[in-house]
Amino acid sequence: MSETELHVGKKTVPVVDEKGLLELLNGDLSREYQAIITYIQYAASVTGPYRQELKQFFSAEIPDETMHAQYLADKIAALGGVPSVNSAPVPQETDARKMLENIVEAERLARNNYSERAAQAEHLGEIGLANHLEDMADDESGHLDETLKILQGWPK
Ligand SMILES: [Fe+2]
Ligand SMILES: [Fe+2]
């Protein structure tokens, strides 16, 4: 392993210092805000024969993403940073299939980011944070798998 790079699976991830980690965690926080808003908008807006199921499915993600956001904000403050109040842009959508596709993209990104972030935190000796980030990668992975299964049987 070089001084400046970490390896996560086949990927190479840059080593960051405490300040760099805080910036990355704030980016993660802004994407958790995005996820919360996305699921609220999608649960409200989804139409069609599967509205009831999808509304329930989208709504059920909100508490998980809220806990992720709260954990990240608490941790950023504990590490001496200021938690972001800005959401990443929300992909507003009214078509059910596009909603599911947007979710797949966002959950995959979140899962991959938390795997990388866990390695970066571990490198800084932040073992508790690293473990929690791995759990969050697992949560996002579960969201991703369920969404992919819904899309597998989706009418064209
Ligand atoms: Fe999340
Ligand atoms: Fe998620």
Side-chain angles (χ1 to χ4, degrees):
M1 192 183 291
S2 77
E3 290 286 280
T4 56
E5 287 175 346
L6 301 164
H7 295 281
V8 179
K10 289 179 187 158
K11 265 189 309 184
T12 306
V13 180
V15 165
V16 291
D17 60 12
E18 278 81 359
K19 189 167 171 282
L21 184 66
L22 278 173
E23 278 169 22
L24 290 170
L25 290 172
N26 253 327
D28 296 329
L29 176 57
S30 72
R31 281 181 295 275
E32 290 293 346
Y33 294 147
Q34 174 200 49
I36 294 163
I37 298 168
T38 299
Y39 282 122
I40 289 174
Q41 196 252 318
Y42 288 5
S45 307
V46 67
T47 57
Y50 305 112
R51 168 167 170 79
Q52 287 301 319
E53 288 84 353
L54 288 178
K55 183 188 174 189
Q56 220 176 3
F57 177 68
F58 295 148
S59 300
E61 303 298 320
I62 296 166
D64 265 10
E65 310 299 11
T66 303
M67 279 195 303
H68 294 166
Q70 285 178 312
Y71 174 80
L72 289 172
D74 272 347
K75 202 60 176 176
I76 289 163
L79 292 171
V82 180
S84 170
V85 291
N86 300 315
S87 169
V90 177
Q92 197 170 22
E93 196 54 73
T94 54
D95 176 77
R97 168 179 271 277
K98 290 215 187 78
M99 288 178 180
L100 292 164
E101 289 170 351
N102 288 345
I103 289 169
V104 162
E105 200 181 316
E107 295 289 357
R108 185 174 280 136
L109 179 67
R111 179 200 61 184
N112 294 347
N113 283 344
Y114 291 137
S115 303
E116 294 181 18
R117 217 65 77 233
Q120 290 166 322
E122 190 178 349
H123 186 80
L124 290 173
E126 292 285 347
I127 305 305
L129 173 59
N131 286 342
H132 202 105
L133 289 164
E134 280 180 2
D135 285 347
M136 283 164 61
D138 187 39
D139 289 346
E140 311 299 14
S141 185
H143 299 163
L144 172 63
D145 291 349
E146 286 303 311
T147 312
L148 284 170
K149 284 177 186 170
I150 295 172
L151 265 174
Q152 266 175 22
W154 201 261
K156 297 285 176 200

